[in-house]
Amino acid sequence: MAVSTYLYRLSRWCFRHRWATLASWVLIVTVAVLGAQAAGGRTDDNFSIPGTESQQAVSVLKDKLPAASGASTQVVFAAPDGQDITDATRQKAITQAIRDLGALPQVTRVGNPFETNLVSPDKRIALATVTYDTAAGDVEEATVDKLEPATAAAEDADVKVAFSGDVYPHDEAGVNSEAVGMVVALLVLLVTFGSLVAGGMPLVTALFGVAISMMSLTMLAAVFDIASAATSVATMLGLSCGIDYALFIVSRHRANLQAGHSPEEAAGRAAGTAGSSVLFAGLSVIIALCGLTVVGIPFLNVMGLAAAGTVAIGLLIALTLLPAFLGFAGERMGRFSRLPGLRRARPATETAVHAPEKLTGTRWAKWVVRRRVPVLVVGVLGLGLMAVPAASMDLGLPGADARPTSDISRQAYDLTTEHFGPGYNGTLTIVAENVGQPAQAQAIGSALRKLDGVASADPAAVVNGIAVINVVPTTGPSDSATSDLVHDIRDRRTELAAGTGAHLLVGGATATHIDIATKLGDALPVFLLVVVGLAFVLLTFAFRTLLVPLKSIVGFLLSTGAAFGAQVAVFQWGWLKDALGITPSQTLCFLPIILLAIMFGLSSDYEIFVVSRVKEHYTRHGDARAAAVTGTGLSTRVVTAAALIMVSIFVAVMTETDPVVKALGFSFAIGVFLDAFVVRLALVPAFMALVGSRIWHHPEWYGRLVPDPDIEGEKLEERLGRPSTRRPEQPTPADA
């Protein structure tokens, strides 16, 4: 039995048993909320990768010098302009603050800057390091919240205090980006459907999915390390995909109502046609996200699986809970509002059913098909040109220097850079094994100080046969010269430890970030091959042809390459930096692999939605060029709405101050925009018109061996009978 038939029956069952379906999902939400409250898990930003040298250094410290293996906070004490931080009153106040910080839970040690000689040459700034007995993700919120109160004595003495490092007090979130995105999405849905009932339904179902997913992640965070970026990505995809999937089904449902079907039959047919496309589109996203697990990086595994789970829940809700809501709405789903600005939805919906050749989207498709060669040339060259900056991509983990100047960690970074030098923001931790005497550590430190790019190298401890040497680079943590220094130390470790018998490991936050960037860069080709291969198989099965998935992959590479280029131009080169409120820095190291996964899934979404409509009309009439026009024309309005919703949600995320989240939002927004409007609604119909019926060719043996999933619902409609396409005799009343 074809997929479309299964979905047709499932939708009608949920429609008829709507109270039971709704009760089941409400129960799931309730259990998830109660479970999250009981678990009390929280996310962290512990970006570690097993098997790297920096992680090996952490393991050695945990085993032999636990006090030095935990997270840390750098506290910057700054005297007013022209005044001395070593003034007796200020020195006494800072010493008291050091004692208060040392009394906090989980704190093992606080270095007094007047004892460790961490006072700037101009005597304006003093640096203290708070060391914890655990990793950053395990430092309790209560401890972090007490950092600022613990420095009250220093602030009372007219000393400015700022924090940075692995753990520090973050500013309270300002604008709720998810709320902004949902408001914009609701406006787009209202204009698209011209009805509060129809427009609000996709948003409600998406919120069900996001609520379940976020509560589930909170429960899992009590057991596993889950990065805060993982919840941001899951929320963005949960909202956007959840809304889009419901949007496509609701749009087809209302068209079926316009064609004269009963609400239950309309819901069943919508699930059998648009729902089939939604199912394969959702599976393509899930496959792409699950493909992140092949990289072998824990936080990316969690991020991919969390996002895939969120999309899967949204997909299940669109195929079950949405038909139940359609049952509750009944005939009201076919009504339109008379409010200004929403009236155009009625003629657009009726035209799509009775005269699709008059649609604006159809006129656009005709223009594209007539000029198919110039459209292809200009589109491909334009996207290729946009991708050029991607060749200069510099991967890393943007730190405090990429945050806005209002952020407390950015203030600490700037003060440290100005009065000590940029390297003090990214000290390297050299762990020397097999060191028994302080003289050996001193010898290694002397050798390190002779390297280019080293500002200082001071042994901090010699315990249990290991020495810890803090190396301060002359450049900042995001500078490529710092990365060169890390590799230089590793390449020359034998020479640097000559005569001591020691083995050197380079660790610390900066080295960890460099290792992550290197690991991710090496994993990109493998990931791309696996994900593209799996998705190729899925799309080949869905459309029973080779050219369609190949075309989809090429389009994905064009739009993703352009998104990479825009990312580099804006976040590395600083184009539009003032307008977007960003500070140029490195490209987020895990952004390329995340963007590849998500963009491949989303581009497959739009590919399936457009091409399934084209195939539907080609199967009926056999005219490939006319099918490209009609299928694209019928898809344009709903794909435009879906893309605008996704883009608005991603753009809303850019209101966040976190540079990591801002970079993700920008890259997803520009990638989705280009893929939907340039690739899927322009290049795809142009290419399909150029190739003609050959695009649907497949070998005879393939047709015999591979079952037809009937993604466009053609067999289902043949069995059930074509829509009557009769016009309603009476205008339906408004619902608003």
Side-chain angles (χ1 to χ4, degrees):
M1 188 183 298
V3 172
S4 57
T5 303
Y6 279 116
L7 294 179
Y8 170 80
R9 293 180 176 180
L10 174 64
S11 179
R12 295 194 62 171
W13 188 94
C14 294
F15 187 102
R16 290 193 300 269
H17 301 86
R18 46 191 172 272
W19 282 109
T21 303
L22 176 60
S24 299
W25 282 108
V26 169
L27 178 62
I28 293 172
V29 172
T30 303
V31 170
V33 170
L34 294 177
Q37 291 178 342
R42 64 189 182 93
T43 59
D44 60 63
D45 290 314
N46 183 26
F47 299 119
S48 62
I49 300 182
T52 59
E53 182 170 324
S54 54
Q55 191 60 36
Q56 186 181 351
V58 171
S59 300
V60 171
L61 288 175
K62 282 184 177 180
D63 183 41
K64 297 187 177 180
L65 188 56
S69 66
S72 64
T73 299
Q74 183 159 289
V75 187
V76 180
F77 297 99
D81 289 341
Q83 298 190 35
D84 192 341
I85 197 70
T86 62
D87 171 83
T89 301
R90 293 192 180 92
Q91 189 167 338
K92 180 180 179 181
I94 292 172
T95 300
Q96 179 60 50
I98 296 298
R99 285 197 292 266
D100 293 341
L101 287 168
L104 296 181
Q106 298 182 285
V107 173
T108 59
R109 181 178 179 275
V110 182
N112 190 321
F114 306 111
E115 297 174 359
T116 57
N117 296 319
L118 285 176
V119 177
S120 63
D122 60 3
K123 298 185 178 180
R124 275 280 320 283
I125 304 295
L127 301 181
T129 300
V130 180
T131 305
Y132 303 92
D133 61 5
T134 187
D138 297 322
V139 177
E140 299 291 338
E141 286 186 14
T143 299
V144 180
D145 292 340
K146 292 175 181 177
L147 287 172
E148 289 183 296
T151 59
E155 292 179 338
D156 291 343
D158 198 23
V159 174
K160 176 180 175 59
V161 181
F163 302 88
S164 64
D166 303 324
V167 178
Y168 62 90
H170 289 71
D171 295 333
E172 291 295 325
V175 178
N176 188 319
S177 59
E178 288 84 4
V180 172
M182 286 188 291
V183 169
V184 176
L186 179 59
L187 292 176
V188 174
L189 290 167
L190 289 177
V191 172
T192 301
F193 290 121
S195 162
L196 182 60
V197 173
M201 197 170 290
L203 194 59
V204 172
T205 54
L207 289 175
F208 262 84
V210 171
I212 294 170
S213 301
M214 292 304 101
M215 294 303 101
S216 300
L217 287 177
T218 301
M219 285 190 285
L220 292 172
V223 182
F224 303 102
D225 288 333
I226 297 181
S228 56
T231 60
S232 298
V233 171
T235 302
M236 285 190 291
L237 282 179
L239 282 175
S240 54
C241 288
I243 292 173
D244 279 6
Y245 297 158
L247 166 65
F248 283 99
I249 294 174
V250 169
S251 178
R252 185 63 72 94
H253 175 74
R254 278 162 61 89
N256 291 338
L257 290 175
Q258 284 288 316
H261 291 295
S262 68
E264 181 178 337
E265 180 66 14
R269 287 176 181 251
T273 53
S276 296
S277 299
V278 163
L279 175 61
F280 279 92
L283 289 176
S284 67
V285 178
I286 292 168
I287 286 174
L289 291 169
C290 288
L292 289 171
T293 58
V294 306
V295 178
I297 298 175
F299 75 85
L300 271 184
N301 293 349
V302 173
M303 187 178 292
L305 293 175
T310 302
V311 173
I313 291 171
L315 181 61
L316 289 174
I317 286 176
L319 297 176
T320 57
L321 182 59
L322 178 59
F325 280 149
L326 296 178
F328 286 117
E331 296 285 353
R332 285 176 295 170
M333 286 298 297
R335 300 173 184 172
F336 297 88
S337 173
R338 293 194 181 99
L339 291 175
L342 306 184
R343 295 173 182 171
R344 289 180 57 85
R346 177 195 288 272
T349 302
E350 293 177 349
T351 301
V353 176
H354 306 293
E357 69 279 358
K358 297 181 180 180
L359 288 171
T360 301
T362 303
R363 291 198 294 270
W364 161 255
K366 286 180 179 178
W367 186 91
V368 168
V369 168
R370 282 199 303 268
R371 297 164 177 81
R372 49 194 176 276
V373 174
V375 166
L376 283 169
V377 172
V378 172
V380 171
L381 289 179
L383 292 174
L385 185 63
M386 285 189 66
V388 169
S392 302
M393 188 178 294
D394 177 25
L395 298 180
L397 272 174
D401 57 323
R403 292 183 174 275
T405 54
S406 59
D407 187 89
I408 194 170
S409 67
R410 172 63 182 275
Q411 294 170 14
Y413 183 96
D414 289 343
L415 286 168
T416 303
T417 298
E418 180 182 356
H419 297 279
F420 280 93
Y424 279 83
N425 291 295
T427 302
L428 305 176
T429 302
I430 309 298
V431 178
E433 299 180 274
N434 305 320
V435 175
Q437 300 296 325
Q440 293 173 286
Q442 291 291 347
I444 296 171
S446 298
L448 287 166
R449 283 191 288 272
K450 295 176 183 178
L451 294 178
D452 291 337
V454 173
S456 66
D458 300 312
V462 179
V463 180
N464 293 334
I466 65 168
V468 177
I469 304 169
N470 293 324
V471 174
V472 178
T474 57
T475 51
S478 300
D479 197 303
S480 59
T482 304
S483 178
D484 293 340
L485 174 61
V486 170
H487 294 303
D488 190 27
I489 295 174
R490 289 173 174 172
D491 292 341
R492 300 172 61 181
R493 71 181 88 219
T494 302
E495 173 190 338
L496 294 169
T500 66
H503 176 68
L504 306 185
L505 298 172
V506 183
T510 300
T512 298
H513 295 172
I514 292 169
D515 287 345
I516 291 174
T518 302
K519 181 89 171 181
L520 286 169
D522 294 341
L524 268 176
V526 176
F527 167 76
L528 191 59
L529 286 173
V530 170
V531 171
V532 169
L534 290 174
F536 177 82
V537 171
L538 178 68
L539 290 174
T540 303
F541 171 70
F543 291 110
R544 296 164 61 78
T545 176
L546 297 177
L547 280 180
V548 168
L550 287 174
K551 169 181 59 63
S552 177
I553 291 169
V554 172
F556 148 74
L557 293 174
L558 286 170
S559 56
T560 304
F564 283 154
Q567 156 72 27
V568 171
V570 172
F571 283 83
Q572 278 188 212
W573 295 356
W575 293 8
L576 303 176
K577 63 179 181 180
D578 295 330
L580 298 177
I582 61 172
T583 301
S585 183
Q586 293 174 294
T587 292
L588 181 64
C589 63
F590 59 82
L591 186 145
I593 203 163
I594 287 288
L595 185 62
L596 282 171
I598 292 174
M599 279 301 302
F600 193 86
L602 297 182
S603 67
S604 298
D605 271 8
Y606 296 132
E607 177 79 6
I608 289 171
F609 294 141
V610 173
V611 175
S612 63
R613 269 319 200 62
V614 174
K615 187 180 181 185
E616 178 182 338
H617 287 274
Y618 175 76
T619 304
R620 291 180 186 177
H621 310 299
D623 188 333
R625 191 168 298 175
V629 171
T630 305
T632 304
L634 288 170
S635 304
T636 297
R637 183 177 176 85
V638 70
V639 168
T640 297
L644 288 177
I645 288 170
M646 277 204 176
V647 170
S648 66
I649 290 173
F650 295 149
V651 169
V653 167
M654 292 181 64
T655 60
E656 300 279 354
T657 58
D658 189 337
V660 170
V661 177
K662 190 184 288 281
L664 289 171
F666 173 84
S667 302
F668 294 165
I670 194 71
V672 168
F673 181 87
L674 293 173
D675 194 85
F677 295 111
V678 178
V679 175
R680 308 305 158 187
L681 293 181
L683 299 185
V684 165
F687 179 79
M688 295 184 79
L690 185 66
V691 175
S693 59
R694 287 170 294 177
I695 198 167
W696 304 115
H697 173 74
H698 60 76
E700 292 184 6
W701 62 265
Y702 184 89
R704 291 193 303 269
L705 296 178
V706 180
D708 185 356
D710 191 27
I711 186 174
E712 68 277 5
E714 180 65 21
K715 292 182 178 179
L716 174 66
E717 290 199 340
E718 284 181 359
R719 185 171 60 83
L720 297 176
R722 296 288 180 197
S724 64
T725 66
R726 66 173 176 83
R727 296 177 184 271
E729 296 179 2
Q730 300 293 332
T732 52
D735 64 354

